[in-house]
Amino acid sequence: MALASAFLEILRRPTIVEVLGELMMLITPLWIAVVVGVFVGWAWKPKWANLVGRELLDCPITKQKESSSSSSSSQSSSTCIGLIPGLSSLKFQLPSCIPWPADDRNPKEALSLPPTTNPDFSSSKIERESSGHVNNEDLRHICQLVEEKDGGPAWIHMMDRSTSTMRYQAWRRDPETGPPQYRSSTIYEDCTPELLRDFFWDDEFRVKWDDMLVHASTLEECPTTGTMLVHWVRKFPFFCSDREYLIGRRIWESGRIYYCVTKGVPSSAVPRRDKPRRVDLYYSSWCIRAVESKRGDGQLTACEILLYHHEDMGIPWELAKLGVRQGMWGAVKKIEPGLRAYQKERASEAPLSRCAYMAQINTKVSADYLRSVENSTGDSMVVEKSEKLDSSDKPEGKSIPKLLVVGGAIALACSLDRGLLTKAVIFGVARRFAKIGRRF
């Protein structure tokens, strides 16, 4: 009856304009209320929804590595138990992109790190563990990416920009699962592959030109293979919290062509915290090689870097794609001034930083070996086993926003005395947003 009465009142209007006006007056406030309610419900997602599966997963790993002594075992157990009080706290999250009042901890303590070396570890053990972060499977993957033999979707061209000393092209593709993937080709004039290799590896100099990098430290390094485990904290725009990365990286060389792999790796070297938020799925690797200068003199005085990048920052992928598209060229333009400054510093014979020294420790491989690697079989869509997300590591709380959206819609519908038409509109919008949240 309520639905029939509502329609009759609207249809009694003398003109179609008034009918549409009445419908708009009814629906517009509801849309605004639903959108606000959906985002508020998403923001009020309990913090324990993200912590239970993710944090408790880390405890057994830490406990396993520290089980050599009873004291360390008890410390690991207390770490796991210490997570339980966090279940009672609540924070807004969209998703974790809204800035919150600082924790009770000192910000410097939040970034404090354990010692980078462990006296109980032998050099051979460190070498084995460091080399395991990045291995020949990663070399195979980047070789197949460079040769476009990885079996992934076709690349969509996004951008082609240039300056007098640089040319930049970018592509994107959307795999069936996982975040968008990006590929770019940047050619710098009057630059050598070795300089470009050291430039992107040198964290000490990176903080001078990369204004997003607020902290960088080396946790492990292998003097034989050059493999490193580094800890980064990157600053995001004001509406997002900072992001933390544990990155394993290694370089292979084949006749002055450098295959540089960096990716997120699991490690207990830095305990997981609420802030900054850790990015587990991270892949950013590049191939550096000399190319002919655009001056057309036939000399290989220019250098190309082919970059392949994707990561799950905890931001809805469509929103992340928009941000990348809008800010890509501006970010790329900031790199060349840093490169030229680095070029001048190296020309002045300034001492090498530790990271630049490690960049010169490469695993040499032949061209024949690379060809055999490119043609090897395997699931090329998987970057590395350590990047696979098991059921507890998949983007946490994706089903919880759906529950909150539907629950919020029910509460909103029951609080409004507008008849069945109003409730139908609310439930329809909520179901649509729930599907979007599940896709993200």
Side-chain angles (χ1 to χ4, degrees), residues 396-416:
E396 309 89 338
K398 297 304 182 186
S399 60
I400 294 179
K402 178 180 178 181
L403 179 61
L404 291 175
V405 168
V406 177
I410 293 174
L412 181 62
C414 294
S415 64
L416 295 176

Side-chain angles (χ1 to χ4, degrees), residues 356-427:
Y357 171 78
M358 293 299 296
Q360 299 180 7
I361 303 176
N362 310 145
T363 304
K364 292 181 171 55
V365 293
S366 65
D368 292 337
Y369 177 77
L370 288 180
R371 280 192 291 270
S372 66
V373 165
E374 293 166 8
N375 297 324
S376 62
T377 58
D379 186 4
S380 60
M381 289 303 293
V382 178
V383 173
E384 173 62 27
K385 291 182 180 179
S386 65
E387 287 188 357
K388 289 182 180 179
L389 300 176
D390 58 25
S391 58
S392 62
D393 273 343
K394 290 181 180 178
E396 309 89 338
K398 297 304 182 186
S399 60
I400 294 179
K402 178 180 178 181
L403 179 61
L404 291 175
V405 168
V406 177
I410 293 174
L412 181 62
C414 294
S415 64
L416 295 176
D417 187 14
R418 292 278 186 173
L420 297 178
L421 179 61
T422 301
K423 294 179 174 58
V425 172
I426 293 175
F427 290 142

